[in-house]
Amino acid sequence: MGLHDHQEYFVSWEELHRATRELARRQLPAEQWRGIIAVSRGGLVPAAIIARELNIRLVESACVRSYAHQEQSAEPELLNELTATKDGEGFLVIDDLVDTGNTLRFLRKRLPKAKFITVYAKPEGMPLVDEYEGEVEQATWIHFPWDMHLHYVDPLAGEDR
Ligand SMILES: O=P(O)(O)OC[C@H]1O[C@H](OP(=O)(O)OP(=O)(O)O)[C@H](O)[C@@H]1O
Ligand SMILES: Nc1nc2[nH]cnc2c(=O)[nH]1
Ligand SMILES: [Mg+2]
């Protein structure tokens, strides 16, 4: 594997807001939705933006603990009980991204009738999501604005002369 096989993609608040609003626009008309299920934690901010755009007030979170990065074989775990819906009918399930698809594959068993949408998608997870806004290569790591901090960077030319 070469040095450039692993890339990074830094998402600003403005870009996240723009992409999420675009995803919201594609969920119109809003009347078809009974509510939103935000996949906590990454889906919380996108879900808030979409709830605002579609004027949806029923927002529940699905708190998923994923072990994908430590133990490949372990199943994700749902830390709370979902009370808003039995099968997800009329609900949007919203996450920030789909990568391997493990999180959404797990949630689809509980919410087979929901529509699953994410702001970003990597190829392996695409079959698990009904709609997404941005496409990112499998080997690219996405950095979301809530995980970052603005900081000083040295000029390319170095010291003043
Ligand atoms: O498609 P997958 O391979 O399952 O990966 C995608 C999931 O991974 C991240 O969540 P994470 O489990 O890191 O937890 P967090 O949202 O609480 O940060 C992201 O927010 C998605 O939910
Ligand atoms: N922040 C972040 N979390 C992830 N979880 C799985 N893939 C990713 C990614 O690319 N970025
Ligand atoms: Mg998550």
Side-chain angles (χ1 to χ4, degrees):
M1 225 182 244
L3 188 63
H4 300 290
D5 289 348
H6 288 96
Q7 295 185 4
E8 289 179 294
Y9 180 51
F10 295 90
V11 183
S12 68
W13 283 111
E14 285 77 11
E15 168 57 16
L16 181 90
H17 202 173
R18 186 206 61 76
T20 309
R21 274 182 165 151
E22 199 48 51
L23 185 63
R25 185 184 304 283
R26 285 157 52 198
Q27 311 314 315
L28 293 170
E31 295 69 31
Q32 69 187 301
W33 307 116
R34 287 181 50 216
I36 284 173
I37 295 174
V39 185
S40 180
R41 298 163 300 177
L44 291 170
V45 170
I49 293 167
I50 292 170
R52 186 270 176 185
E53 293 300 332
L54 301 183
N55 203 18
I56 293 171
R57 287 167 195 281
L58 179 57
V59 182
E60 187 168 45
S61 60
C63 305
V64 181
R65 178 188 279 153
S66 162
Y67 294 96
H69 305 301
Q70 292 122 42
E71 228 182 287
Q72 285 299 333
S73 57
E75 267 268 285
E77 183 189 355
L78 189 59
L79 302 177
N80 62 325
E81 270 185 36
L82 301 181
T83 58
T85 173
K86 273 196 158 56
D87 58 9
E89 189 165 11
F91 276 76
L92 282 171
V93 176
I94 301 173
D95 208 348
D96 53 354
L97 80 137
V98 62
D99 186 330
T100 64
N102 281 342
T103 304
L104 297 191
R105 189 178 299 109
F106 167 73
L107 279 174
R108 273 190 186 277
K109 288 184 217 154
R110 170 67 178 77
L111 301 163
K113 293 193 172 168
K115 180 175 181 182
F116 286 69
I117 62 174
T118 61
V119 185
Y120 298 100
K122 300 188 192 181
E124 206 181 314
M126 281 173 193
L128 275 304
V129 73
D130 296 306
E131 258 172 55
Y132 57 86
E133 181 58 28
E135 203 173 316
V136 172
E137 282 176 30
Q138 195 65 40
T140 298
W141 187 262
I142 305 171
H143 292 279
F144 288 100
W146 50 82
D147 287 329
M148 294 189 293
H149 193 53
L150 284 177
H151 65 87
Y152 176 81
V153 182
D154 284 329
L156 293 173
E159 294 282 309
D160 284 350
R161 278 173 286 171

